[in-house]
Amino acid sequence: MVAPSPVHLATQPDPTAIPEQPVLFKRGLRGQYWIVQKCVACGRKHIHGAGGLDDDPLQFLGHRSQHCLNNEAPCGYVLVATEDK
């Protein structure tokens, strides 16, 4: 078995450089979602899961990869709720 290579802090993104992304909460029939109305990287709409109907959607906020894979935000963004759930 090959040991995994160590992760060096120098290769990790600077957390102060990761943009915040405002999101709106929506509850669906089968799950909950965080809606990106206008992506900070590409300007388009994206949807991120916020757990099942019995989950606390606030636990699904925080750092996420953006769905557009735009090079302007290669480290993703931090989902931040813009309204009470």
Side-chain angles (χ1 to χ4, degrees), residues 4 19 31 47 68:
I47 299 173
C68 57

Side-chain angles (χ1 to χ4, degrees), residues 1 3-4 6 9 12 17 19 22 30 42-44 51-52 61 69 71-72 76-77 82:
M1 177 190 263
L9 292 178
Q12 298 302 305
R30 297 185 179 140
C42 73
R44 300 176 86 185
L61 291 171
L69 303 177
N71 289 334
E72 295 298 314
Y77 42 56
T82 57

Side-chain angles (χ1 to χ4, degrees), residues 2-79:
V2 176
S5 61
V7 176
H8 297 283
L9 292 178
T11 63
Q12 298 302 305
D14 175 4
T16 62
I18 300 173
E20 288 189 347
Q21 175 63 64
V23 290
L24 299 172
F25 176 74
K26 297 293 180 193
R27 184 177 175 91
L29 295 175
R30 297 185 179 140
Q32 304 177 103
Y33 308 93
W34 289 113
I35 311 296
V36 173
Q37 295 285 39
K38 185 175 182 181
C39 175
V40 295
C42 73
R44 300 176 86 185
K45 181 178 179 178
H46 303 298
I47 299 173
H48 292 277
L53 296 175
D54 295 329
D55 291 325
D56 178 1
L58 298 177
Q59 297 298 314
F60 293 83
L61 291 171
H63 182 263
R64 291 288 193 80
S65 294
Q66 76 278 15
H67 289 182
C68 57
L69 303 177
N70 186 316
N71 289 334
E72 295 298 314
C75 298
Y77 42 56
V78 176
L79 300 184

